[in-house]
Amino acid sequence: MCRIGVYICECGPNIGRTLRLPALVQSTGNLTGVVRVRRVPVLCGREGLDFLGEEIVAQGLDRVVVAGCSPREHESTFRSVLERAGLNPYMLQVANIREQCEWVVRDRDQATGLARRLVAGAVARVRHHEPLLPSEIAVSTDVVVIGAGTAGVRAALTLAGKKRVVHLVERLPCVGGKVPLYEDVFPGMACAACVMDPMLDELLHHDGIRVHLMSSVEELLGFKGNFTVRLLQSPRYVDPEACLGCGACVEACPVRVPDEWNPGLAERRAVAVPYPGVLPSLAVVDPRHCLRWQGEDCRACEEACPFDAVRFEEEARVQEIQAGAVIVATGFDLSDPGRFPQYGYGRLADVITSFELERMLNSSGPTGGRVLRKDGTVPGHAGFVLCVGSRDPRAAPHCSEVCCRYTLKFLHRILAQGAVDRATVFHAGLHLPGGASQDLYRALEGNPSVHFVRMGAPNSAGILEQNGSLAVRFPDEEGRVRSHLVDMAILAPAMEGASGNRELARILHLETGGTGFFDQGITLLDRVEAGREGVFVAGCAAGPTDILGAATGGQAAAGRVLSELVPGETLRLEPVTAGVDETLCSGCAVCEGLCPYGAIERKDDPPRIMVNRVLCRGCGTCAAACPSGAVHCAHFSDGQIAAEVEAMLGREDQGERSKEKGSRIAG
Amino acid sequence: MKSRPARRRPKLGMTWLSSCGGCEESILDLGPDLAGILGQVDLVYWPIGMDGRMEDLCKVPDGGLDAVLINGSVRTEEHVETAGLLRQKARIVVAHGSCAHLGGVYGLANLFSREAVLERSYGEDGPRLPRLLDRVKALGDVVKVDVVIPGCPPTPDRVREALDSLIRGTLARGAVLADDRALCRTCPRGETRRPDTRIRRFRRVHEATLDPDLCFLEQGIVCLGPVTRGGCEARCVRGNLPCRGCFGPVGEVKDQGGGGVGFLAALLEGASEEELEQALDGLADPTGLLYRYSLPSSLFGGRNEGEGP
Ligand SMILES: Cc1cc2nc3c(=O)[nH]c(=O)nc-3n(C[C@H](O)[C@H](O)[C@H](O)COP(=O)(O)OP(=O)(O)OC[C@H]3O[C@@H](n4cnc5c(N)ncnc54)[C@H](O)[C@@H]3O)c2cc1C
Ligand code: SF4
Ligand code: SF4
């Protein structure tokens, strides 16, 4: 026979104005198994908690019901009281007579009747409770960083500095993200390679960092401190240990395709060393274009390679990694200006993007640093069109933050090298935060070759061909349409989240905002929160920012991981998990695709299902769906639920009966 | 060595309550084996096959029958009496077929009141019948059942198994003469089910050209295999028809239709309320489909007001 104590909390002045507590005490005393009923002024206070602990011991209780506030508020507090008093913490049931009776029902009799039912349900249920034991596992302090741009690399190095094992996952065949492709960088006009190369070199030679190139995250299971990450690595078809990046293979390859590193500017081969100065300096075979995947037996690169580095037989590799945290640093992509036909991008030869100009200005780029029109001539007059898509609610509502500043950078560079005679900037208000970028601006003031022209609204310009030149047309602030002739137009397209972000969001169980950034967890005090415990976001993955912002974000995310995942700590695994009765499971697979935590594993021979206790969060989805009644969720057994429901419906004794009969509520 | 005493021929009774006769058929389905089996039992009471009168049955001493096979649902007060009397006379009561086991197809009458059923079937001046109960019941609702032979009708193998073990003296109480696991386990198409397939619209059998090798659920056809005990040799599935659940739910599952709702809901997919509604359009008569054999023994029992199951 159970010895149940029921403690009715008055919650200070909160419970008892509507509820008739004396009546509730009386009816509760008559319930099967109840040996003690007490009213307590404030059970969750120090005194109340001490009192509860003493009562459990003095009355020899084996189960406790607390009638008071929502279990969300204090269930765990009361559980620890039970534990300290020598009871299993799961021998507790909370009846919420505050939010569900006192606060919502006006009529005193009705409220009291309702409370009676809730308490009767709780008492009937607690009779069926069984002791459950939590288990513990060590946290993993390893970290997976997705994206090897400024932010990801900064995060990885910060973590590795504290001896954390870092897996840096990059989908490209090289590290560094966008910045190594630039010539100089604002605000100080430092050379991009000088800023990035030492950092990337340290990265590639760091013992604690495993760089997984050409890799993507395919699955993330588990939770903070205990993630399992599945990586898929595409083959490079070149042995990184043997290849020196000499390019002998490239020369030999007969295939020519547009070069995505230099869009609109150059061609590349099917085997390529991505761009001059790339790190690591390695060739990569592109199976989308290589003749061998077209059914031809070309071996030109293999034969040309002086180091025997080509490996056509390489295959994709799947790898599972244990990690305690994930940092998402997937950066940005520039949106396609072709989306707005009025700019003529893709149609008019000399309408290019800022990134294309960046490649032209690069001294080791396709034009050797020269700014050229498509016909090979030098443009006399360059026009910079800002806010292409940005700050337009119908396109990208946000400000892309860096366009105004990189335009100043461009102006300094092209004027310094005399690349153009004249430049006009079409802007809708310049965004130049910080002293250093103001300096950049001031240095251009009064320069007769540079004009700043204000448009009436962002994303309002259009470009037409006019007598071999380009006419940039836009309404000014008064609404008058103005037109300026230029020889080349450089568009500043809106930044948006990296192209794979939506798919990645699905895999990581995160949300992206409308423009594809992982910006949904960000608050005024926290720019690295991704919206899921143990997962952080850094750099442009969280929204547009500059190099400094990306680096700072990487460091901040690393800092959060260092403070939240401490070596030697353990994770307590809740015992409320599902389990499968193998003698009942038919292997119908209904449950398998349902688990939101990927905790259900299929075993063959015989076909059946197993629940991975470490991954299971006890949500009960599988148990509800299993048509064989083969899945049971601890602490939510059919017997417990049926007993509670039946007692609430006033059929208290049937709780026992239904346990014997193994009664099961629908499904 | 002492030779074992020759086993006494077990005394057997068989009867039907509210029944279509299919379960009696299932005895005849034993075919050539039937004669052998009948030779090894002492068939005391079998109204459909012999002259069986209540008075004769009353004369049998209590516990005088080794076993009785009762098929059909419990519909009238007379059925309750008959079942009670047989319970008294027999050491082992066998619920024979879905109607006795779960209430059966007749149980769908529980969607209507007793009066409505009488009115609809017989109109004003109906025949004189034993008084109808408020609702159809399973045999287990009125007497203790020891053994279940599930099926509508039971397959010959299951009936043979029951009679053989009766003859050998090994018919154990508490047995359900079928598999412990759902049909999917032994279904010849079981392997073709993919865990991530979702159903965007249910189709009815006549609306589809059925792939004879692919799991019905993969084809958007409701199959109750996941929620039904195996042991029928997947006869319907082998005949390219989906399982309709006649063997009843597995083990602890009390409500077969509820289990069906649960797992079908889990497989449904739709982006909006409307899409889900559309998916359900192909599910004609869900109660009749999901509770075809088991409404009286479900948690809900039926829609009519009557005493609970
Ligand atoms: C034209 C132009 C000029 C600029 N000039 C300057 C400047 O002068 N000074 C300045 O401060 N800022 C400048 N910026 C901004 C600067 O480029 C960014 O601040 C910086 O690149 C942000 O770094 P990041 O690491 O967040 O992103 P990125 O540099 O975009 O790096 C992200 C990395 O993640 C990888 N990745 C993406 N998705 C996945 C995935 N699913 N799985 C694995 N890997 C993935 C990408 O391949 C990439 O390597 C400029 C921007 C533009 C467009
Ligand atoms: S094998 Fe492929 S990559 Fe190598 S040279 Fe031939 S086409 Fe180019
Ligand atoms: S739903 Fe139940 S019977 Fe089907 S595979 Fe999962 S555990 Fe097994």
Side-chain angles (χ1 to χ4, degrees):
Chain A
M1 197 57 210
C2 316
R3 291 186 61 80
I4 306 172
V6 182
Y7 296 87
I8 301 174
C9 178
E10 295 169 10
C11 193
N14 277 310
I15 300 177
R17 288 190 186 171
T18 308
L19 283 179
R20 300 185 202 281
L21 293 183
L24 184 61
V25 168
Q26 203 192 3
S27 66
T28 303
N30 298 331
L31 295 170
T32 317
V34 173
V35 295
R36 182 100 171 146
V37 188
R38 279 283 172 280
R39 275 170 68 171
V40 189
V42 184
L43 196 59
C44 63
R46 191 63 283 145
E47 264 176 48
L49 296 175
D50 289 346
F51 168 73
L52 183 60
E54 288 157 16
E55 281 271 303
I56 292 171
V57 177
Q59 300 297 322
L61 302 180
D62 61 4
R63 273 144 232 266
V64 173
V65 168
V66 171
C69 61
S70 160
R72 283 177 180 231
E73 210 145 316
H74 287 308
E75 187 173 50
S76 59
T77 319
F78 296 133
R79 276 188 182 157
S80 41
V81 174
L82 264 70
E83 202 167 11
R84 281 198 298 276
L87 280 188
N88 183 281
Y90 290 89
M91 304 309 268
L92 169 81
Q93 181 66 13
V94 176
N96 180 1
I97 58 169
R98 191 180 73 181
E99 283 88 337
Q100 294 180 359
C101 306
E102 178 82 30
W103 283 357
V104 288
V105 184
R106 280 228 194 93
D107 182 86
R108 298 200 68 183
D109 291 332
Q110 252 182 8
T112 310
L114 187 56
R116 261 191 198 148
R117 286 173 186 271
L118 289 180
V119 172
V123 167
R125 187 189 209 281
V126 85
R127 292 215 304 267
H128 295 264
H129 279 197
E130 280 161 18
L132 300 173
L133 295 175
S135 50
E136 293 202 333
I137 55 164
V139 293
S140 165
T141 55
D142 296 359
V143 186
V144 167
V145 179
I146 308 173
T150 312
V153 174
R154 236 29 234 130
L157 287 170
T158 310
L159 289 161
K162 265 287 172 209
K163 302 245 176 326
R164 298 304 163 81
V165 174
V166 181
H167 294 271
L168 182 56
V169 183
E170 169 58 56
R171 63 180 175 187
L172 297 176
C174 51
V175 295
K178 313 283 186 302
V179 181
L181 291 146
Y182 307 156
E183 177 65 11
D184 353 70
V185 285
F186 71 73
M189 298 301 288
C191 119
C194 312
V195 174
M196 295 300 281
D197 285 5
M199 177 173 84
L200 298 179
D201 204 58
E202 185 188 352
L203 171 85
L204 293 172
H205 292 102
H206 205 298
D207 285 342
I209 305 177
R210 322 246 155 93
V211 180
H212 305 263
L213 295 174
M214 305 181 72
S215 297
S216 55
V217 171
E218 296 291 300
E219 186 176 59
L220 177 76
L221 298 178
F223 44 89
K224 179 176 151 190
N226 181 48
F227 288 115
T228 305
V229 185
R230 198 171 73 227
L231 294 188
L232 176 69
Q233 183 166 40
S234 307
R236 181 186 275 275
Y237 303 112
V238 170
D239 181 352
E241 302 302 322
C243 177
L244 291 188
C246 72
C249 54
V250 180
E251 299 303 317
C253 179
V255 177
R256 275 165 181 74
V257 291
D259 182 1
E260 47 284 76
W261 300 103
N262 296 300
L265 297 171
E267 289 184 324
R268 66 165 171 88
R269 312 295 171 95
V271 61
V273 180
Y275 54 88
V278 69
L279 288 174
S281 174
L282 295 172
V284 52
V285 176
D286 180 353
R288 286 169 310 167
H289 299 111
C290 170
L291 298 175
R292 300 185 59 79
W293 275 266
Q294 253 104 128
E296 289 180 39
D297 189 30
C298 177
R299 289 185 178 273
C301 56
E302 192 181 36
E303 283 156 13
C305 178
F307 308 103
D308 277 341
V310 177
R311 302 271 184 280
F312 292 126
E313 66 287 355
E314 235 180 68
E315 282 179 3
R317 237 160 42 98
V318 174
Q319 198 183 341
E320 284 205 344
I321 292 172
Q322 298 297 323
V326 175
I327 296 176
V328 182
T330 52
F332 69 95
D333 277 321
L334 289 183
S335 57
D336 174 13
R339 222 183 278 170
F340 311 106
Q342 67 270 26
Y343 290 104
Y345 179 74
R347 192 159 38 82
L348 304 176
D350 293 312
V351 177
I352 65 170
T353 67
S354 53
F355 181 74
E356 288 161 39
L357 180 65
E358 205 54 92
R359 292 307 290 147
M360 275 194 216
L361 289 173
N362 193 294
S363 43
S364 57
T367 58
R370 288 185 309 151
V371 182
L372 297 176
R373 300 176 69 185
K374 275 280 143 47
D375 61 8
T377 59
V378 175
H381 185 183
F384 292 87
V385 183
L386 294 180
C387 291
V388 174
S390 297
R391 297 168 62 207
D392 178 350
R394 292 160 305 159
H398 59 260
C399 166
S400 295
E401 303 222 359
V402 290
C403 324
C404 295
R405 283 179 289 166
Y406 68 57
T407 300
L408 297 188
K409 168 179 86 172
F410 291 148
L411 292 171
H412 279 279
R413 158 65 50 185
I414 57 179
L415 292 172
Q417 67 186 45
V420 298
D421 304 328
R422 217 144 60 87
T424 305
V425 178
F426 304 95
H427 67 92
L430 287 171
H431 173 65
L432 303 172
S437 42
Q438 289 296 322
D439 290 344
L440 276 185
Y441 180 69
R442 234 169 275 127
L444 292 166
E445 264 179 332
N447 188 323
S449 307
V450 181
H451 296 277
F452 290 92
V453 177
R454 189 157 179 139
M455 303 184 289
N459 202 24
S460 62
I463 300 174
L464 298 171
E465 179 140 44
Q466 200 172 314
N467 308 331
S469 294
L470 299 170
V472 179
R473 289 159 59 88
F474 58 91
D476 68 11
E477 283 175 294
E478 272 80 54
R480 282 190 306 257
V481 175
R482 310 247 312 254
S483 182
H484 287 249
L485 284 184
V486 298
D487 301 319
M488 175 183 246
I490 298 105
L491 308 181
M495 273 169 135
E496 53 187 26
S499 57
N501 276 3
R502 291 210 165 77
E503 173 63 7
L504 189 63
R506 191 186 58 76
I507 292 168
L508 302 182
H509 298 286
L510 295 179
E511 275 177 40
T512 56
T515 37
F517 293 110
F518 291 101
D519 53 6
Q520 302 294 295
I522 294 175
T523 65
L524 200 53
L525 299 178
D526 195 338
R527 201 176 190 263
V528 297
E529 191 64 54
R532 176 175 177 189
E533 279 233 51
V535 180
F536 302 98
V537 56
C540 286
T545 185
D546 54 13
I547 298 173
L548 182 61
T552 313
Q555 287 173 315
R560 284 286 294 277
V561 173
L562 291 174
S563 76
E564 290 188 23
L565 286 181
V566 180
E569 275 186 357
T570 53
L571 280 179
R572 198 172 145 133
L573 296 181
E574 281 296 317
V576 179
T577 57
V580 180
D581 181 344
E582 288 191 23
T583 64
L584 288 177
C585 172
S586 74
C588 72
V590 163
C591 58
E592 212 181 329
L594 295 178
C595 178
Y597 306 101
I600 294 179
E601 293 165 7
R602 169 174 282 256
K603 298 275 180 247
D604 292 323
D605 247 10
R608 73 208 131 95
I609 288 306
M610 302 253 291
V611 173
N612 180 332
R613 292 269 159 126
V614 174
L615 296 181
C616 173
R617 313 302 302 271
C619 72
T621 307
C622 57
C626 176
S628 287
V631 193
H632 296 274
C633 201
H635 211 57
F636 291 90
S637 72
D638 295 334
Q640 289 166 343
I641 295 172
E644 184 175 12
V645 171
E646 285 174 353
M648 282 187 188
L649 297 177
R651 298 199 293 182
E652 202 223 328
D653 295 334
Q654 307 205 356
E656 292 294 342
R657 191 197 69 154
S658 64
K659 190 188 184 188
E660 282 157 27
K661 284 179 77 177
S663 148
R664 185 174 166 79
I665 298 216
Chain B
M1 230 215 292
K2 226 168 68 178
S3 68
R4 271 164 131 201
R7 191 177 279 286
R8 180 178 66 79
R9 288 201 303 174
K11 287 190 192 310
L12 176 66
M14 297 196 281
T15 196
W16 57 357
L17 306 176
S18 192
S19 163
C20 70
C23 287
E24 304 287 350
E25 252 339 302
S26 77
I27 305 278
L28 300 180
D29 277 348
L30 293 176
D33 294 349
L34 182 60
I37 288 174
L38 289 181
Q40 297 178 68
V41 296
D42 186 358
L43 193 48
V44 175
Y45 180 72
W46 190 23
I48 195 180
M50 319 170 1
D51 184 19
R53 276 182 233 165
M54 277 293 211
E55 301 97 86
D56 298 336
L57 187 58
C58 290
K59 287 183 202 137
V60 176
D62 286 359
L65 293 177
D66 289 283
V68 58
L69 266 57
I70 304 179
N71 71 73
S73 332
V74 180
R75 168 81 273 192
T76 67
E77 285 178 351
E78 187 198 22
H79 294 151
V80 179
E81 265 169 49
T82 310
L85 185 62
L86 284 166
R87 174 72 271 184
Q88 226 173 307
K89 303 297 175 193
R91 293 194 302 108
I92 294 182
V93 170
V94 181
H96 177 195
S98 305
C99 291
H101 175 202
L102 307 162
V105 173
Y106 300 109
L108 291 173
N110 287 355
L111 296 172
F112 309 94
S113 70
R114 188 181 66 137
E115 288 66 33
V117 169
L118 280 173
E119 168 68 28
R120 162 100 191 219
S121 306
Y122 301 109
E124 287 281 290
D125 40 20
R128 282 166 44 96
L129 287 175
R131 195 182 145 72
L132 258 59
L133 302 177
D134 280 343
R135 60 203 297 166
V136 178
K137 296 180 178 190
L139 185 59
D141 292 328
V142 297
V143 296
K144 183 168 172 289
V145 167
D146 302 307
V147 175
V148 172
I149 312 175
C152 181
T155 59
D157 283 352
R158 305 272 79 137
V159 177
R160 190 181 300 113
E161 186 183 343
L163 295 176
D164 279 350
S165 40
L166 174 67
I167 291 163
R168 274 184 274 111
T170 55
L171 189 59
R173 289 200 171 81
V176 177
L177 300 179
D179 293 352
D180 290 335
R181 290 183 236 224
L183 178 60
C184 300
R185 181 56 167 275
T186 43
C187 173
R189 307 183 188 192
E191 304 266 289
T192 63
R193 164 105 173 94
R194 289 189 309 257
D196 38 11
T197 305
R198 293 286 171 269
I199 299 176
R200 303 195 126 261
R201 186 175 192 287
F202 287 113
R203 297 190 299 168
R204 299 176 68 189
V205 175
H206 65 268
E207 294 172 330
T209 312
L210 298 176
D211 181 330
D213 300 313
L214 184 62
C215 171
F216 284 104
L217 294 168
E218 294 288 319
Q219 307 184 51
I221 306 274
V222 174
C223 175
L224 294 186
V227 77
T228 304
R229 241 178 224 278
C232 56
E233 300 125 54
R235 288 180 166 229
C236 298
V237 175
R238 284 178 210 279
N240 207 10
L241 283 174
C243 171
R244 284 298 174 242
C246 74
F247 266 47
V250 174
E252 295 204 344
V253 180
K254 188 146 189 300
D255 196 299
Q256 189 178 16
V261 172
F263 91 85
L264 290 174
L267 298 181
L268 263 188
E269 184 175 70
S272 61
E273 202 78 19
E274 292 85 67
E275 274 187 43
L276 288 169
E277 293 277 348
Q278 274 169 21
L280 289 173
D281 278 350
L283 202 67
D285 184 16
T287 318
L289 181 63
L290 302 173
Y291 288 100
R292 183 165 298 175
Y293 302 95
S294 66
L295 190 62
S297 57
S298 69
L299 284 173
F300 308 102
R303 199 186 283 146
N304 64 337
E305 304 280 311
E307 73 269 41

